[in-house]
Amino acid sequence: MSDLLFLAHRVPFPPDRGDKIRSFHVLRYLSTRMRVHLVAFADDPADLDPPAAFTDMLASCTILPRGKSQARAGLEALATGKPVSLTAFASPPMQAAVDRILPRVDGIYCFSGQMAQYLPDDGPPVVMDFVDMDSAKFAGFADDSRGPMRWMMRREARLLGAFEREIAARVSASLFVSEAEAALFRTGGATGRILAVENGIDSVTFDPAAQAEKAGQAGQAGQAAPPSHHPGEGRGPGGKVAVTTDSPSPSTSPNWTPASAGR
């Protein structure tokens, strides 16, 4: 069984919002076919202690806090000529965590463009899930903005678009949530294998007839319907997995350039 590094800009659990629903189901699918090593940022203190129902799918789990303010990310972006989308997620401990896992994996699934800055120049095959074309989003924000904010949004769209195209040219495949997004990316000059992988729906969980039947059976038994997942339920080959939440030593990788280092 092969090993995969799954990079995510936020922990893909619980699947309670759009991007986390997508990343969770992709990760769950992949975990039945290979050993998945998750490296992700935490949005909330609760993310640092995920339940066994989630971690049992994984071969290893590294979750690091992200506390950089938007103001600091903006200043770093101006000082380095990088888009704010990248400096906001730039972290030496994250790079160190990635470097520690890389020698053990045969491939990388990178979820969200902010995490593409951690991809090695020479390494295993990469599937890049952009989900949406973020640079187009900032271009739209620029059209609706005025003054300095319009300049900042245009700058973000230009720099992030160049970064997205550079990543797409060197990964095995770039994924988008719809064909419209994929087509927009191609029209913007992107090259490489660009594919649409749309979101689906869990037809078992959201089958009204099945839910009604389950509720009826529970009512007859005088108890609530059981949850669809139970803490500690294992899905992966490795069983229970310890979660690493402390910051690794700063990276010495040539791929890592601190945002404060200037151009």
Side-chain angles (χ1 to χ4, degrees):
M1 183 178 284
S2 57
D3 288 76
L4 178 80
L5 168 60
F6 194 104
L7 271 175
H9 67 310
R10 58 172 54 96
V11 178
F13 192 89
D16 56 2
R17 53 176 287 172
D19 61 322
K20 293 172 74 170
I21 292 172
R22 180 179 176 92
S23 58
F24 170 78
H25 285 286
V26 170
L27 185 149
R28 183 171 65 171
Y29 176 87
L30 293 172
S31 71
T32 64
R33 288 156 176 80
M34 58 192 71
R35 289 182 293 267
V36 176
H37 302 266
L38 174 67
V39 180
F41 280 113
D43 265 356
D44 184 272
D47 291 339
L48 299 172
D49 187 24
F54 175 67
T55 60
D56 282 359
M57 293 189 291
L58 306 170
S60 70
C61 182
T62 302
I63 301 172
L64 300 178
R66 187 178 71 87
K68 185 182 296 186
S69 69
Q70 195 70 9
R72 178 183 169 187
L75 290 174
E76 290 180 355
L78 294 174
T80 61
K82 295 179 180 179
V84 179
S85 300
L86 297 189
T87 58
F89 286 82
S91 162
M94 175 58 72
Q95 184 67 63
V98 171
D99 292 343
R100 189 175 65 246
I101 296 293
L102 274 175
R104 303 160 56 185
V105 302
D106 308 291
I108 302 173
Y109 191 97
C110 185
F111 190 88
S112 189
Q114 295 97 322
M115 301 304 288
Q117 62 188 303
Y118 298 108
L119 297 176
D121 292 331
D122 295 309
V126 176
V127 171
M128 180 67 236
D129 194 341
F130 284 107
V131 188
D132 302 309
M133 187 177 169
D134 284 343
S135 57
K137 174 180 66 179
F138 287 106
F141 290 161
D143 292 338
D144 297 330
S145 301
R146 295 290 182 271
M149 187 57 68
R150 169 175 283 189
W151 177 85
M152 195 69 178
M153 292 296 106
R154 284 179 173 172
R155 176 188 184 277
E156 188 73 8
R158 173 174 52 83
L159 295 178
L160 188 57
F163 176 76
E164 290 169 340
R165 292 189 294 273
E166 186 268 324
I167 292 297
R170 63 185 178 93
V171 298
S172 298
S174 297
L175 309 185
F176 288 88
V177 73
S178 69
E179 181 54 41
E181 289 283 328
L184 182 63
F185 195 51
R186 297 186 197 101
T187 302
T191 58
R193 192 180 184 199
I194 302 168
L195 306 171
V197 177
E198 298 182 351
N199 291 339
I201 186 170
D202 187 338
S203 59
V204 175
T205 300
F206 297 103
D207 179 2
Q211 292 298 312
E213 181 180 356
K214 185 183 297 184
Q217 292 173 349
Q220 293 174 3
Q223 60 184 14
S228 57
H229 302 305
H230 303 277
E233 123 183 287
R235 296 191 183 94
K240 289 183 173 56
V241 173
V243 179
T244 301
T245 57
D246 57 327
S247 300
S249 301
S251 175
T252 57
S253 168
N255 298 316
W256 169 248
T257 301
S260 59
R263 292 183 185 276

